Amino acid sequence: MHAYYFDNLPTDQRLPHITDPARPVSPETLAKLGVLSWVVPVPPHAASPSNSQGISEEEDCEVNKVAKERGYKNRDVINVSREGMGADEEIRYILSGSGFFDVREMPTDAWIRIAVAPGDLLVLPAGIYHRFTLDTKDQIRALRLFKDEPKWIPHARSAGTDANVHRVGYLRDVGAVGA
């Protein structure tokens, strides 16, 4: 996993968008934003398109340990490609392909780009402004973990989302607003 500041140039979103000079972002900076990450090798069977669950809940691996520790009970596998293009924190485990998660840094509001590839396990906290895009390979397969029933509802940034209980809790957690 590689994180860096996004250049905000109006070109193809699927390009890396690395600033010149590059401005890397450390795991410690991401952790202050509540973004956690691990690299967990993908078992060969998990990357197979015919495997509908990625990894089973019974397998002894770091993904399942993180899911259990964080209270995640459900999962699914999502295939995102150019052809087929919530309120909870999000856990994503990349099984194949690659892409970019962008998160907003607090308090600067700058975009930080996180390049993900097979084996990357990423936790995005509830309430953080974020987005996902494919890279130029136009394909990614990821295991998504959910605390309750699988769901994902996009919320565009607005005064309403700024006042959302999850957003307010996130800002409090990262010290951007008083308790």
Side-chain angles (χ1 to χ4, degrees):
M1 197 169 315
H2 175 65
Y4 52 89
Y5 286 96
F6 184 80
D7 67 11
N8 276 324
L9 295 177
T11 59
D12 188 339
Q13 190 75 5
R14 298 170 307 135
L15 297 174
H17 285 274
I18 299 173
T19 57
D20 185 20
R23 295 176 50 214
V25 176
S26 70
E28 295 78 21
T29 298
L30 291 175
K32 287 179 186 172
L33 298 173
V35 177
L36 307 174
S37 63
W38 297 259
V39 176
V40 181
V42 178
H45 71 278
S48 169
S50 64
N51 180 329
S52 64
Q53 65 179 6
I55 58 168
S56 72
E57 293 179 49
E58 294 76 33
E59 288 182 73
D60 182 26
C61 73
E62 191 68 19
V63 174
N64 287 333
K65 291 174 188 170
V66 171
K68 184 176 180 181
E69 175 183 295
R70 301 188 79 80
Y72 280 71
K73 301 176 193 108
N74 291 299
R75 61 185 62 208
D76 70 7
V77 173
I78 183 171
N79 289 295
V80 180
S81 67
R82 184 174 272 295
E83 294 80 31
M85 273 295 309
D88 288 339
E89 75 178 8
E90 295 180 20
I91 296 182
R92 302 293 185 262
Y93 178 50
I94 309 305
L95 299 170
S96 65
S98 52
F100 303 106
F101 279 94
D102 297 335
V103 296
R104 286 280 190 189
E105 181 182 44
M106 291 301 302
T108 69
D109 213 31
W111 281 112
I112 294 174
R113 176 153 277 194
I114 305 167
V116 294
D120 290 338
L121 175 62
L122 186 66
V123 174
L124 301 177
I128 191 171
Y129 284 124
H130 65 284
R131 62 189 182 196
F132 173 80
T133 189
L134 292 167
D135 62 14
T136 56
K137 296 175 186 166
D138 288 331
Q139 186 277 329
I140 195 165
R141 186 166 189 259
L143 174 69
R144 302 184 303 174
L145 299 162
F146 302 92
K147 289 186 177 178
D148 295 307
E149 290 301 311
K151 65 183 182 305
W152 184 82
I153 302 168
H155 297 281
R157 188 172 185 174
S158 67
T161 57
D162 284 340
N164 177 286
V165 64
H166 300 289
R167 176 70 180 163
V168 172
Y170 167 74
L171 293 173
R172 186 181 53 250
D173 290 348
V174 298
V177 297

